[in-house]
Amino acid sequence: MDDAPAIDVRDFRKQYDQTAAADGISFSLPQGTVGALIGPNGAGKTTTIRALCGIIRPTSGSLQVAGFDVQQEPLQVKKRVAYVPDDPPLFETLTVWEHLHFIASAYAVPDFEQAALQLLEELQLSHKRETLASELSRGMRQKVAIACAYLHDPQVLFFDEPLTGLDPAAIRLLKQTMTEKAAQGATVLVSSHLLALVEDICKYLIVLQSGKCLFSGSVQQARHAHPAAQSLEDVFFQITETAIETAGDEPARVP
Ligand code: ATP
């Protein structure tokens, strides 16, 4: 494993009509880390994650994931990443097991059955193995998406607001597995409003606001830069409120 960052974003811009959803965002995330992408509503978190997965095209800028340029080599990136959106779009007419089978085929995972059974067990989904996606609860749908994400052992995992809808056991499992994946060398980027999650498992912090990156660095560096802050929540508010005081509260817009 070399020292190249797992995720490298340079001057990323995404323009929607008058709204700059991403307005020159730059940050990088080392390999083997759990990083948090945090920021108020509309900060550009989902936009950034979707661009990193190759789902949306940047207006400009460069995005590298697992050593590949997302624009130039999207297939190489897609082979190596998993993305769990906050409201996963499942195949409504496939069962839970058929989802896992499909992912195993798409990513050429050999002998996937054992790993798939274990994931279902861990996520307490074994009893829903033959249930159609259309008949699952919201939390169960998220669990299916998480199982699919883990099944092909990706180098980089993106989670967008992963805890919404999960029960406490699943939250604990997800936090534990994210940390384990990072210890094994994978990189996890998780967007969340829940600073307690960030505090628990994230070593790295990227703070976005109005399409701009206000801070990127280790949690330790963030705390060091804000010595008066009692908690990560305080650090977050100090970073975002300082930016508002200096730049005003207007979202980034083109003239
Ligand atoms: P939240 O915490 O509310 O999920 P977010 O940080 O994920 O917010 P984004 O979804 O990335 O924010 O949105 C950033 C900005 O871009 C917002 O102002 C949003 O309205 C705008 N935006 C996002 N997608 C589109 C789109 N498809 N068309 C137009 N504007 C969009």
Side-chain angles (χ1 to χ4, degrees):
M1 191 163 63
D2 59 32
D3 290 338
I7 296 173
D8 195 35
V9 177
R10 296 282 139 219
D11 202 19
F12 163 51
R13 293 171 193 274
K14 180 66 185 177
Q15 193 70 36
Y16 289 112
D17 298 324
Q18 296 299 299
T19 306
D23 191 18
I25 293 173
S26 299
F27 67 87
S28 59
L29 191 61
Q31 296 175 32
T33 311
V34 183
L37 195 54
I38 60 175
N41 292 132
K45 303 180 295 295
T46 299
T47 301
T48 302
I49 289 182
R50 289 168 66 87
L52 282 166
C53 297
I55 297 168
I56 57 169
R57 279 179 162 277
T59 304
S60 64
S62 125
L63 299 133
Q64 303 250 340
V65 176
F68 294 94
D69 186 286
V70 181
Q71 293 258 82
Q72 306 295 326
E73 297 182 274
L75 200 59
Q76 295 299 336
V77 171
K78 284 175 186 171
K79 277 183 184 172
R80 290 167 174 80
V81 308
Y83 169 48
V84 182
D86 58 348
D87 190 8
L90 301 183
F91 301 103
E92 302 300 335
T93 54
L94 294 190
T95 65
V96 170
W97 187 256
E98 285 166 344
H99 276 84
L100 292 163
H101 198 168
F102 174 75
I103 292 294
S105 306
Y107 288 90
V109 183
D111 306 325
F112 77 99
E113 290 87 354
Q114 193 57 39
L117 286 172
Q118 195 179 331
L119 281 165
L120 292 184
E121 177 79 28
E122 286 172 0
L123 289 162
Q124 297 176 342
L125 265 187
S126 302
H127 64 301
K128 295 288 180 183
R129 189 184 140 156
E130 303 306 333
T131 302
L132 293 174
S134 60
E135 294 168 8
L136 296 172
S137 73
R138 181 193 156 93
M140 287 171 183
R141 293 170 69 87
Q142 266 177 284
K143 288 179 179 181
V144 174
I146 293 165
C148 288
Y150 282 159
L151 187 63
H152 63 98
D153 208 15
Q155 282 179 37
V156 182
L157 293 117
F158 296 98
F159 291 91
D160 199 350
E161 284 295 345
L163 303 189
T164 327
L166 290 184
D167 58 38
I171 290 173
R172 188 165 64 178
L173 178 75
L174 189 61
K175 290 195 316 196
Q176 193 184 319
T177 49
M178 282 178 180
T179 308
E180 282 168 9
K181 292 282 168 200
Q184 291 159 10
T187 304
V188 181
L189 182 62
V190 48
S191 93
S192 184
H193 292 292
L194 301 175
L195 297 176
L197 163 81
V198 176
E199 190 124 50
D200 278 358
I201 62 163
C202 297
K203 296 271 180 286
Y204 213 83
L205 207 58
I206 297 131
V207 183
L208 302 185
Q209 182 165 271
S210 303
K212 293 188 186 296
C213 183
L214 303 183
F215 176 87
S216 76
S218 67
V219 170
Q220 227 175 354
Q221 286 169 328
R223 284 189 172 282
H224 194 72
H226 298 273
Q230 301 279 320
S231 62
L232 201 59
E233 191 178 30
D234 287 347
V235 172
F236 172 75
F237 284 118
Q238 285 187 14
I239 292 172
T240 51
E241 281 164 12
T242 308
I244 288 170
E245 279 160 25
T246 44
D249 199 3
E250 278 298 297
R253 283 178 183 278
V254 287

